[in-house]
Amino acid sequence: MSVSCLTALSDELILYILEDSTARHEWHCSLCRLEQVCWRFRSPAAISFDDQEQLSLPERAAQRRIARATSQPVRPDGLQPIRPYQRAAGEGHRHVLQLLECGLLTRGVLHNVPVSAVERSGWSLAYCAEYKQRTRDADLDKVPASARYVLVAAVRRGRSESVAASSSLFERLILRQRPSSSEQSSSQGSSSSSFALLAWGKRQVVLRVTHDESFHGFATTTSNEEESVFWYRWTNHSFGFSSDPSLWLWAADAAIKQIGREACSEDRLSWNLDLHSTGGWRAGTVIDLGSSSEWEKRVYYR
């Protein structure tokens, strides 16, 4: 349907069309373009809502699509599959919709998210280094104190994944339909660098010191949890996350090598924080990365 045809309809009907559109990927971009090409989509909608927000039709459509996502049935563990997100001042609902469509509002540790999905959705880079380089506490503290959220990730340079990976969760949970065979063929032909794993959370949670110098290593746990991700920071020793609270710190989270067993190995990221050991150490089940120039450690914020 053309923009000129849309403008001839009532606000109620336009909102219904925008909210229930079957567009599967980057729908937030379509909503942004509507505001750019027609004044009607830049003005507050002439419809009353209980929240009293003066939103344009594209903004209202984005808000309602997000609400639809967050109302999905709970998982077997009793949690919602989509995590909450607190907008910053001046941050629109379409920005949040972009995070949703990229799969970044999925609860827990995430895998194979395209780097472009993170960098195009409002995250700023605070730290980037090869795994062979030693990371210090001071490097983590480069994240501005004003940052609301921090994202920590590992990427293997040169590795490619389908760009459709980030939108698959949105399609599966929100639209409940699969891409057509032609779309699958197209997505398989286009690829970009992807993070092996990443997790994000509030700055005060992600960068919180959970173990100080009184801790001497080995088996421990962390209760520093947000949205099914457990974060830890042992000053001058290690930093990382896991989807399981049990850790084995030597100095990095190393039960997979030292004792041969651990839960959720694929969801564990661990970097050394000292001057005597190797740089990074693990990205999921890939370990002993202290001399690797192929893997990178990254920290983003927003």
Side-chain angles (χ1 to χ4, degrees):
M1 180 178 291
S2 67
V3 173
S4 60
C5 290
L6 274 177
T7 56
L9 304 176
S10 67
D11 281 2
E12 290 84 354
L13 186 53
I14 292 174
L15 183 59
Y16 176 82
I17 293 171
L18 295 181
E19 180 188 353
D20 291 333
S21 172
T22 56
R24 294 193 179 105
H25 187 49
E26 296 193 340
W27 183 234
H28 71 279
C29 291
S30 299
L31 297 178
C32 289
R33 283 194 290 270
L34 282 176
E35 281 200 356
Q36 294 168 359
V37 301
C38 182
W39 66 268
R40 182 175 180 183
F41 298 110
R42 295 192 292 270
S43 304
I47 312 175
S48 297
F49 291 91
D50 292 339
D51 59 22
Q52 302 298 313
E53 283 193 85
Q54 296 296 307
L55 301 177
S56 66
L57 285 169
E59 271 292 285
R60 183 63 69 179
Q63 180 200 47
R64 290 165 71 95
R65 288 169 72 88
I66 295 164
R68 183 178 168 188
T70 56
S71 66
Q72 293 297 307
V74 298
R75 308 184 311 191
D77 58 10
L79 298 173
Q80 292 284 349
I82 303 299
R83 61 187 293 170
Y85 176 84
Q86 184 66 43
R87 290 183 295 131
E91 191 172 31
H93 293 287
R94 282 167 296 166
H95 294 101
V96 184
L97 180 59
Q98 184 178 15
L99 293 173
L100 175 67
E101 291 180 337
C102 290
L104 288 170
L105 293 189
T106 311
R107 188 184 299 273
V109 177
L110 307 181
H111 300 266
N112 299 328
V113 175
V115 173
S116 61
V118 171
E119 296 184 341
R120 290 188 304 170
S121 59
W123 295 92
S124 299
L125 185 65
Y127 175 71
C128 178
E130 296 176 344
Y131 256 69
K132 69 180 182 181
Q133 296 183 11
R134 290 172 175 152
T135 300
R136 304 288 303 276
D137 282 278
D139 294 319
L140 300 178
D141 293 330
K142 290 178 181 177
V143 175
S146 59
R148 296 177 302 124
Y149 296 109
V150 177
L151 183 152
V152 179
V155 60
R156 184 178 182 180
R157 293 191 295 193
R159 184 188 179 194
S160 296
E161 297 287 346
S162 167
V163 296
S166 65
S167 61
S168 62
L169 181 121
F170 175 72
E171 293 165 354
R172 192 167 63 249
L173 291 182
I174 313 310
L175 301 171
R176 298 185 180 180
Q177 46 189 310
R178 297 185 178 184
S180 64
S181 58
S182 61
E183 288 172 325
Q184 289 177 329
S185 176
S186 174
S187 67
Q188 289 169 359
S190 60
S191 60
S192 64
S193 180
S194 297
F195 292 112
L197 73 168
L198 67 81
W200 63 275
K202 296 183 182 69
R203 186 189 190 281
Q204 63 268 31
V205 174
V206 174
L207 301 183
R208 178 179 295 147
V209 173
T210 57
H211 298 71
D212 57 25
E213 295 300 335
S214 64
F215 174 67
H216 300 294
F218 306 116
T220 184
T221 61
T222 176
S223 59
N224 188 35
E225 181 265 344
E226 183 181 354
E227 306 301 339
S228 303
V229 180
F230 295 86
W231 298 87
Y232 60 92
R233 181 174 174 181
W234 181 16
T235 306
N236 294 323
H237 289 82
S238 59
F239 166 78
F241 60 75
S242 169
S243 60
D244 186 272
S246 298
L247 308 169
W248 203 90
L249 301 181
W250 168 274
D253 184 19
I256 189 174
K257 181 176 182 178
Q258 299 297 334
I259 61 177
R261 65 183 184 278
E262 64 183 7
C264 308
S265 296
E266 67 281 0
D267 287 343
R268 295 176 183 263
L269 176 146
S270 195
W271 303 341
N272 289 319
L273 294 179
D274 59 34
L275 293 177
H276 308 292
S277 186
T278 57
W281 193 76
R282 75 181 296 174
T285 58
V286 184
I287 63 173
D288 288 323
L289 293 174
S291 60
S292 175
S293 58
E294 185 179 11
W295 284 80
E296 279 187 353
K297 302 173 278 188
R298 297 195 190 181
V299 178
Y300 295 85
Y301 69 93
R302 66 186 300 129

